[in-house]
Amino acid sequence: MPCMTATADDAARDRSPWAIMAPVIDLVTPLTVRAAASLRVADHLTDGPVALDELARRCDADADALARMLRHLICHGVFAEPDHGMFALNDKAEFLHSDHPSGMRVSLDLDGFGGQMDLAFTGLLHTVHTGEPAWQKVFGLPFWEYLAANPKMGASFDAMMSSATEFVMDAVSAHDWSTARHVVDVGGGRGVLLAAILGTNPSLRGTLIDLPDTVDRGRQYLAEHGVGERAEVVGQSFFDPLPTGGDVYVVSSVLHDWNDEASIAILHRCAEAAGAGGRVLVLEQHSSEGDRSAFAEMDLRMLVLAGGRERSVEEYTALVTAAGLTVTGVHTTPMGQVAIECSVGSVPASADA
């Protein structure tokens, strides 16, 4: 049955405290969207409307439960039911398709890292009481240890971190690579950013640094994207001495995962490896100078997941300076990412000193 239009009684109810607070207390709709993403409903509707029984078969779902779920979403403008028992995509539902460049389906999948990340918020009260991440409380291990112990979830984490193509290309545009010879992507996951940099700059060589299981996936990704011969991979922690030889060391969406002490240690390793005259590029997706709502949400997420934090440009600059680097430029990309260009004056003292 289609959703009813508003009436005078509805308007009266809309003045109630429950109606006023509905947008911020509803858990049903967000979880329903995630269930639809996990079932790949949008993928199964690619070729047009599908009858309920057939759609349930494709989704490996109970038909009655699936219909109830979709009708709830339809009332919120996601999916359509052009005829009774026939379900179809609409503009909003298209965002949940696996091929959509936003990467939204991957980020919402309850069977992958995106959904698990959201479920970690069931431990939010623990975080607020203690100031400690909720991830271990909910899943039994600290964040990074959990990913290392669960390769499937680790691979899902890598995929989610690189699923938004538009953000990757936006990050590539954050720096003039024409004066570089060799770029080192520190904590670069499976190499999506490095592959894009090398792909748009044929004279560049690159090195991908991340933990061993991650760079194994990176080696394959770089080869599949035609840049494997110009890239090497190094499986190690970025808290250990980094390979030398690069003239630009990139730290993209890494520092917000860590507290100040750890972030300074990572930057110090970059400065140490780059050496006198070397460059370090810090890229982060949020700044307090931009969208305050997005900043506040991500700041809370980083605390709940791993004990990290979002920072202002001034706070990032303070970390950079503490690591022995000099800021040479700060700018914001078209999609709002913060790019901090840094140089190494003299070779810094060892991080182990």
Side-chain angles (χ1 to χ4, degrees):
M1 183 176 70
C3 297
M4 303 300 292
T5 57
T7 65
D9 288 340
D10 293 329
R13 283 195 295 272
D14 283 346
R15 292 193 293 272
S16 75
W18 284 96
I20 293 169
M21 291 294 289
V24 295
I25 64 177
D26 174 34
L27 282 178
V28 176
T29 305
L31 286 171
T32 304
V33 172
R34 284 160 175 77
S38 306
L39 292 168
R40 300 175 184 257
V41 175
D43 294 5
H44 298 309
L45 295 174
T46 299
D47 296 327
V50 176
L52 174 60
D53 287 344
E54 173 59 18
L55 183 59
R57 185 191 67 78
R58 295 181 187 182
C59 293
D60 190 23
D62 177 83
D64 178 64
L66 179 64
R68 296 187 194 198
M69 182 189 82
L70 289 175
R71 285 170 181 146
H72 174 76
L73 290 177
I74 289 166
C75 287
H76 289 269
V78 185
F79 295 104
E81 189 176 8
D83 292 303
H84 184 73
M86 295 289 293
F87 293 93
L89 295 174
N90 63 2
D91 289 347
K92 286 186 178 180
E94 290 278 3
F95 297 148
L96 300 180
H97 199 285
S98 293
D99 292 337
H100 195 275
S102 68
M104 188 176 294
R105 197 206 69 77
V106 173
S107 297
L108 297 176
D109 189 346
L110 290 168
D111 292 324
F113 173 75
Q116 296 291 290
M117 176 176 66
D118 291 336
L119 293 178
F121 271 78
T122 61
L124 176 61
L125 197 57
H126 168 78
T127 294
V128 176
H129 277 309
T130 66
E132 298 295 326
W135 189 277
Q136 181 172 357
K137 178 75 171 178
V138 176
F139 296 112
L141 284 173
F143 182 76
W144 299 109
E145 291 179 27
Y146 178 88
L147 294 182
N150 294 272
K152 181 178 178 181
M153 199 58 64
S156 177
F157 171 77
D158 290 344
M160 180 179 162
M161 293 301 101
S162 57
S163 61
T165 305
E166 64 268 33
F167 274 100
V168 175
M169 297 314 298
D170 183 64
V172 173
S173 73
H175 183 75
D176 178 7
W177 305 101
S178 63
T179 60
R181 298 173 294 102
H182 191 138
V183 59
V184 181
D185 192 358
V186 180
R190 60 179 180 147
V192 175
L193 176 58
L194 182 60
I197 293 170
L198 298 183
T200 54
N201 297 273
S203 64
L204 265 180
R205 297 192 61 82
T207 298
L208 174 66
I209 299 174
D210 214 303
L211 295 176
D213 286 346
T214 300
V215 295
D216 282 346
R217 295 188 286 270
R219 184 180 290 106
Q220 179 180 351
Y221 185 91
L222 292 165
E224 289 173 350
H225 286 75
V227 296
E229 293 185 357
R230 290 189 284 128
E232 62 178 317
V233 300
V234 178
Q236 67 159 87
S237 167
F238 43 43
F239 294 111
D240 295 329
L242 301 175
T244 59
D247 52 353
V248 181
Y249 285 72
V250 180
V251 187
S252 178
S253 296
V254 169
L255 300 184
H256 73 162
D257 291 335
W258 301 92
N259 62 26
D260 287 356
E261 181 180 6
S263 295
I264 292 170
I266 295 166
L267 290 168
H268 199 293
R269 287 303 191 192
C270 292
E272 184 181 60
R279 290 172 284 171
V280 177
L281 174 65
V282 175
L283 284 167
E284 289 292 343
Q285 290 191 8
H286 296 275
S287 167
S288 60
E289 286 76 20
D291 183 339
R292 292 181 61 188
S293 175
F295 179 89
E297 177 184 333
M298 187 58 71
D299 192 32
L300 182 59
R301 278 187 182 273
M302 300 320 300
L303 174 60
V304 167
L305 300 184
R309 68 184 313 128
E310 298 298 325
R311 298 174 174 91
S312 67
V313 171
E314 289 76 16
E315 288 169 329
Y316 279 120
T317 300
L319 296 180
V320 165
T321 302
L325 292 159
T326 299
V327 176
T328 58
V330 178
H331 63 275
T332 303
T333 68
M335 296 192 71
Q337 298 186 76
V338 177
I340 304 176
E341 308 260 3
C342 312
S343 66
V344 183
S346 58
V347 179
S350 169
D352 296 325

